[in-house]
Amino acid sequence: MTHDKTALGRLGLWTFAFDGRPAGAVRDAAAEIEALGYGGLWIGEGIGREATTHAQLLLSATRTLPVATGIAIMSERTPRLMAAAEATLNEAYPGRFVLGLGGHRAAGQADIPGMPKANTAPAVAGVGAYLDEMDAAVLVGDPPERPGRRVLAALGPGMLALAGRRTWGAHTYLVTVDHTALARETMGPDPYLSVALTVVPSPAADRPRALEVARGFVAGYQAARHQVNNLRRLGFSQAELDGEGTRLVDSLFAIGDTETIAKRVREHLDAGADHVCLQVLTPDQGRIPLDEWRELAALIPEFA
């Protein structure tokens, strides 16, 4: 699948912060993100807004800003319904929607109340079969002039290879620069690679508090088997996963001032990323981090 790899620019935003906020505030924030000049806006999906209707809310509030799901949970939808949502948004907003797919719930993952139970299919085979069913879905209406952009949430080599073969590329989350280099090597030069980089803007004097925020965030992923397995593949010990030392959080996050964050963005791009989307982490995750997004917008010209 070929597309313009510059379509989302080199620097974007990734956020869960819109969940739980009023729709009007979300629309206003999306319009400001577009005005600030970010190349794309990625939204997560968990126990808040449904991903594709959330994407429509954001697309309707903006004029040119690309919006991507990072990710839409496959186990929440049949392949036909996912394909229908993708087709609807691609028709309504040509060239502006990216469907990020993920959340295959393999055996061994923790159950989440209200979500489908894990299945026993191997992840790569299960996702491949899901893509097959999406491609085979019979939908009323003319096909789009060009296929929509799809990416897969991918961490391990098998899923990265599948992403490179079957979709536009991969979207990675909670990863190191070394992982970005491995992802590029695995997929080859052509597939798209979007990296979500979690940042904790902080002056040097506040580093202890910033480290505490970062450690708390990592702890929330201890039940995510795929994330833990990936961090172990990258050489982190269980003690580090449990919070020992700072090597883990310093490798996963950009903690510090704007130049520190810019340096980490450059490292991911140099390692093979086509696009880096910044997830701003603050002690108060209940607010939309507009002030931080405005400050980080100063980096946009550097990566244009």
Side-chain angles (χ1 to χ4, degrees), residues 80-123:
R80 190 195 67 78
L81 285 179
M82 190 76 87
E86 177 186 41
T88 301
L89 290 173
N90 284 330
E91 178 188 4
Y93 304 96
R96 292 182 56 201
F97 177 61
V98 178
L99 177 64
L101 295 166
H104 172 87
R105 293 184 52 69
Q109 285 185 253
D111 287 332
I112 300 173
M115 287 190 178
K117 298 292 185 182
N119 57 46
T120 58

Side-chain angles (χ1 to χ4, degrees), residues 59-284:
L59 288 161
S60 69
T62 53
R63 300 198 305 178
T64 61
L65 181 71
V67 173
T69 58
I71 44 68
I73 301 173
M74 291 182 293
S75 59
E76 291 281 313
R77 304 165 184 83
T78 66
R80 190 195 67 78
L81 285 179
M82 190 76 87
E86 177 186 41
T88 301
L89 290 173
N90 284 330
E91 178 188 4
Y93 304 96
R96 292 182 56 201
F97 177 61
V98 178
L99 177 64
L101 295 166
H104 172 87
R105 293 184 52 69
Q109 285 185 253
D111 287 332
I112 300 173
M115 287 190 178
K117 298 292 185 182
N119 57 46
T120 58
V124 174
V127 173
Y130 191 97
L131 293 173
D132 289 341
E133 291 190 50
M134 284 188 69
D135 291 342
V138 176
L139 302 173
V140 173
D142 295 330
E145 294 181 4
R146 61 178 182 178
R149 298 183 180 97
R150 290 180 194 166
V151 296
L152 292 183
L155 294 175
M159 196 67 75
L160 286 164
L162 180 68
R165 289 195 311 271
R166 294 291 307 274
T167 71
W168 190 30
H171 177 56
T172 63
Y173 185 88
L174 206 63
V175 297
T176 65
V177 173
D178 286 345
H179 183 275
T180 296
L182 288 169
R184 176 53 67 201
E185 181 181 0
T186 301
M187 293 197 301
D190 295 330
Y192 190 74
L193 178 56
S194 166
V195 175
L197 171 62
T198 306
V199 303
V200 189
S202 173
D206 286 348
R207 178 170 166 80
R209 188 183 186 197
L211 288 172
E212 181 181 347
V213 170
R215 286 192 181 102
F217 187 80
V218 172
Y221 282 89
Q222 288 280 21
R225 183 179 175 184
H226 62 296
Q227 291 288 358
V228 171
N229 288 344
N230 188 57
L231 294 174
R232 287 175 175 158
R233 276 194 300 267
L234 292 170
F236 295 103
S237 68
Q238 186 59 51
E240 288 175 312
L241 292 173
D242 290 338
E244 180 181 283
T246 65
R247 188 174 77 99
L248 177 64
V249 292
D250 281 331
S251 297
L252 295 177
F253 301 90
I255 301 172
D257 59 16
T258 301
E259 181 50 40
T260 299
I261 293 168
K263 180 175 182 292
R264 185 61 57 83
V265 172
R266 286 193 293 270
E267 290 171 350
H268 278 288
L269 293 172
D270 290 345
D274 296 298
H275 174 83
V276 176
C277 42
L278 305 177
Q279 179 184 19
V280 172
L281 193 62
T282 69
D284 179 9

Side-chain angles (χ1 to χ4, degrees), residues 30-61:
E32 181 163 354
I33 288 167
E34 180 174 55
L36 288 169
Y38 285 102
L41 174 58
W42 296 74
I43 50 170
E45 182 177 45
I47 56 174
R49 286 190 170 91
E50 188 277 325
T52 59
T53 50
H54 192 179
Q56 197 278 334
L57 173 70
L58 299 169
L59 288 161
S60 69

